[in-house]
Amino acid sequence: MELMAAVDVIRAPLVETMSRLSAALAEGIPHRALADLSGNCSYAPFKTDGASPGGPGTAITTADVAALRHLVPGRGSWQGRASLAGTDVPVLILSSDITEEGALLVLVRTEDTPIPDERLEPAQALWDLLTAHREGMRSEPMPGTLGASRAAAAARALALAELGDAHGAALAVLLGVLRDRGLDDTHARTRAVDLAVTALADLRSQAELDQALVEERVGDAFEELAESLRRMLRARGVRLDLGTPGAEEGADRVLSADVINTARAVVRSAVHACLEDQGHGLDGGQVHRIHVGWKVGADELRATVRDDGPGTLPRSALDARHAGERLAPLGGRLEVDAVPGWGTTVTIEVPLGPPDTPRQDPLTVLGARELEVLGQLARGRRNRHIAQELHISESTVKFHVAKILDKLGVSSRGEAAALAHEWGVS
């Protein structure tokens, strides 16, 4: 039963994971809310499910859960009372050390009675399994997951920025008023100033914590990749040369976890392909040396994988390992330059920002007759000539022109004609 519960949670769509996890834990550990703070989920590093601990109008925050991290520094659990959303509640904390940052699960319990070990152990095992599964999804992101991650991360970043700006502006105005020495009641003003200053500090701390969970330093990410490649190539007797990024190559830059994880996954795929898809055995065959390098420019991360093998690596070998599919959601590119007798170079380019969204054709809002009228407008025809050409009355033409201007959001026939020329209607 416990194994089937784990399968049910792991197989759930991302948006249902928390509710499935809550249901799986409910029988052994009754609770009314749970919060997940995991560094291995870049699209949503902080998630909650269930009723908030203090009732309507309250919510568990990232800062609330982060403040509990010191209670379980490694793998394990902690039981007791803690402050969440300003309310003192009984909690159980489960921590997994599978990720470098550590993954915390906080359950808001319905009672203070200690939970026995026979219930804690399966709960801890389930949390470790889920954390390991997510870590695998992060390190080897597949196209569907990566696309959803990028879209959600962009929306979340925008929402955070807007909320931060709004809250910061409101608090700054409040501080300005309260610091006005022309106001009376010094004690009340001092207290309000303290509250506003604290709120601003909390706002900045939460933004910094969120950034730390979804971004990674380039130099650290490359060293992690290098270590995994050293282990792989050491066993095959292949030499690894590293173009380790320095300051000029962007080593100190902090990039989106989606960009970093995709680059790492595609580089590993390229190295595997160099070793295994050029007509030789798993020991590396004719490949004696592989060079891997990263460089971060203004707009993209550029990675190269170069070997000294036979130079026969086909692009299809990378496609079979989903390299192109992984890059596609981020607008990335992949090139394979194989020169017989000289070796192969794989170049990987990952844009640092979301791919440009294609402009939507504004003319799709027009009906068939309106498109015909617009085509006549684009030719410079007046209403009388349009009526004659389309065999309709001038009043009908005037009606269609008014509807066209309204639907396109333009104020003149000239603007409508310009759009028609831009989008190929004439």
Side-chain angles (χ1 to χ4, degrees):
M1 182 63 70
E2 293 169 359
L3 183 59
M4 292 306 298
V7 171
D8 183 62
V9 173
I10 290 173
R11 293 180 59 185
L14 293 175
V15 295
E16 297 179 15
T17 299
M18 290 297 287
S19 59
R20 299 272 188 98
L21 178 61
S22 179
L25 295 173
E27 183 176 354
I29 307 173
H31 59 277
R32 51 197 178 99
L34 73 168
D36 164 11
L37 182 61
S38 303
N40 60 359
C41 185
S42 58
Y43 92 97
F46 178 69
K47 299 176 285 293
T48 61
D49 183 77
S52 55
T58 64
I60 304 172
T61 67
T62 309
D64 288 335
V65 177
L68 305 179
R69 188 180 294 278
H70 72 282
L71 297 173
V72 194
R75 180 182 184 275
S77 62
W78 182 89
Q79 303 181 57
R81 299 189 70 87
S83 177
L84 293 176
T87 303
D88 186 58
V89 291
V91 302
L92 167 66
I93 305 174
L94 298 176
S95 177
S96 176
D97 60 358
I98 290 175
T99 69
E100 182 178 352
E101 304 87 350
L104 290 184
L105 181 68
V106 178
L107 292 91
V108 181
R109 300 184 54 211
T110 56
E111 57 185 24
D112 282 308
T113 307
I115 300 170
D117 289 343
E118 58 267 23
R119 293 185 185 179
L120 284 177
E121 290 174 2
Q124 180 71 57
L126 176 57
W127 182 235
D128 284 338
L129 279 171
L130 180 57
T131 302
H133 173 66
R134 288 176 175 171
E135 185 69 6
M137 293 176 66
R138 181 181 78 152
S139 60
E140 297 289 340
M142 294 303 291
T145 300
L146 188 56
S149 172
R150 171 52 64 92
R156 181 172 50 81
L158 178 60
L160 283 173
E162 291 176 345
L163 284 173
D165 289 344
H167 292 167
L171 290 170
V173 170
L174 176 61
L175 278 174
V177 173
L178 294 173
R179 283 171 171 162
D180 184 352
R181 297 187 178 277
L183 294 176
D184 294 328
D185 197 344
T186 302
H187 178 73
R189 184 171 64 247
T190 300
R191 175 60 176 158
V193 168
D194 291 341
L195 290 174
V197 170
T198 300
L200 277 172
D202 289 343
L203 184 65
R204 294 192 189 99
S205 296
Q206 187 155 340
E208 291 171 359
L209 175 62
D210 184 83
Q211 182 181 35
L213 290 171
V214 298
E215 296 181 334
E216 192 169 352
R217 181 178 170 274
V218 169
D220 296 337
F222 185 82
E223 181 53 38
E224 180 181 321
L225 169 66
E227 183 56 34
S228 69
L229 295 178
R230 288 188 191 102
R231 292 193 297 268
M232 178 201 311
L233 299 181
R234 188 180 300 121
R236 300 173 184 236
V238 177
R239 173 180 168 183
L240 175 64
D241 293 336
L242 297 173
T244 304
E248 293 184 357
E249 291 78 26
D252 294 327
R253 293 274 298 276
V254 176
L255 302 183
S256 162
D258 288 330
V259 171
I260 291 289
N261 294 328
T262 299
R264 276 195 294 230
V266 177
V267 166
R268 282 193 291 263
S269 295
V271 171
H272 278 291
C274 288
L275 294 175
E276 299 172 6
D277 292 275
Q278 298 190 83
H280 44 67
L282 295 179
D283 61 349
Q286 300 174 52
V287 174
H288 305 289
R289 183 174 64 185
I290 289 182
H291 177 277
V292 175
W294 276 16
K295 182 177 181 180
V296 179
D299 302 315
E300 66 183 14
L301 186 157
R302 182 185 180 92
T304 56
V305 177
R306 185 169 62 250
D307 71 19
D308 63 350
T312 58
L313 182 71
R315 168 63 188 254
S316 59
L318 277 299
D319 292 337
R321 289 174 166 78
H322 307 286
E325 293 179 54
R326 288 190 170 103
L327 289 167
L330 304 187
R333 298 172 296 280
L334 175 71
E335 292 183 3
V336 179
D337 183 16
V339 181
W342 292 90
T344 300
T345 299
V346 179
T347 303
I348 301 149
E349 296 175 348
V350 187
L352 303 186
D356 294 335
T357 302
R359 289 180 61 199
Q360 183 177 359
D361 184 350
L363 307 186
T364 56
V365 298
L366 302 181
R369 177 61 84 179
E370 290 167 342
L371 285 172
E372 290 179 337
V373 173
L374 179 62
Q376 296 294 320
L377 286 179
R379 296 186 184 97
R381 304 281 176 78
R382 307 310 300 170
N383 288 353
R384 181 166 58 86
H385 294 97
I386 295 174
Q388 293 174 350
E389 181 72 23
L390 300 180
H391 306 290
I392 56 179
S393 67
E394 283 191 57
S395 61
T396 301
V397 172
K398 291 179 181 178
F399 172 79
H400 284 314
V401 170
K403 294 291 290 183
I404 290 170
L405 298 184
D406 179 62
K407 288 185 176 182
L408 296 183
V410 296
S411 58
S412 69
R413 298 164 68 100
E415 291 182 61
L419 278 177
H421 288 300
E422 181 180 356
W423 291 94
V425 175
S426 59

